[in-house]
Amino acid sequence: MATLMEDDVFRAFTTYAAIVIVKMVLMGPLTAYYRITRGSFANLEDVARKSADEQKKLLRTHPDVERVRRCHLNDLENIVPFLGIALLYTLTGPDLSCALLHFRVFAGSRIFHTISYVGALPQPCRGLSYLTGATVTLSMAYRVLSTVLVL
């Protein structure tokens, strides 16, 4: 592991992987914040100390909570594949500047995606940020496949 951390591209990968993972992990507390502030809970045990009438009011969905949840799901659908492809991409020996461009654009696109999703910014903000991240992942996948594909 020590020799891997001496490789600049691998260090860049670990840096940006950590950034997008932390961003994704923070979506859990953000969901909890929205649940508490909007009074919208999913499970009976979350409101067990409340009266029956209050439980009926609190066991419901709220558009803001669902928006954050969908954003979190979108992160899972995009960040997890990025991590796998980016690791394989790192192993193909790309130039540091090219790797940094891929990693930075992906991380930036996911952060902007969250801002545009949770903040309900008008389209095409969210769509473009999603497409940008997906294009980066596909670009790295192309590099991996073109490097190792044996026909």
Side-chain angles (χ1 to χ4, degrees):
M1 184 64 120
T3 54
L4 269 179
M5 289 310 256
E6 292 172 10
D7 180 68
D8 289 337
V9 174
F10 187 77
R11 286 182 35 209
F13 163 71
T14 57
T15 300
Y16 288 96
I19 289 169
V20 295
I21 289 169
V22 167
K23 182 235 140 330
M24 185 171 54
V25 167
L26 289 175
M27 294 304 293
L30 186 62
T31 302
Y33 168 78
Y34 273 83
R35 284 195 182 286
I36 292 165
T37 60
R38 303 312 192 264
S40 173
F41 299 92
N43 301 302
L44 186 58
E45 63 269 18
D46 298 336
V47 294
R49 294 185 177 161
K50 305 288 184 183
S51 70
D53 287 339
E54 286 180 307
Q55 286 179 0
K56 288 178 185 175
K57 291 177 187 175
L58 295 174
L59 286 173
R60 63 185 178 93
T61 61
H62 189 280
D64 294 344
V65 175
E66 292 307 307
R67 177 174 289 279
V68 175
R69 289 184 66 242
R70 287 191 306 271
C71 184
H72 194 180
L73 286 172
N74 192 279
D75 275 351
L76 290 168
E77 294 167 355
N78 289 275
I79 291 174
V80 173
F82 163 80
L83 295 172
I85 291 295
L87 177 59
L88 296 174
Y89 170 77
T90 299
L91 297 175
T92 67
D95 292 331
L96 177 61
S97 61
C98 192
L100 282 171
L101 180 64
H102 279 96
F103 302 155
R104 288 174 178 166
V105 169
F106 182 84
S109 74
R110 292 315 302 173
I111 291 167
F112 186 70
H113 181 269
T114 297
I115 292 167
S116 63
Y117 210 144
V118 175
L121 298 181
Q123 284 287 23
C125 294
R126 188 177 80 239
L128 289 175
S129 60
Y130 163 79
L131 285 174
T132 301
T135 300
V136 168
T137 301
L138 290 172
S139 172
M140 290 186 298
Y142 176 79
R143 163 70 189 242
V144 169
L145 291 172
S146 64
T147 300
V148 301
L149 193 61
V150 179
L151 294 177

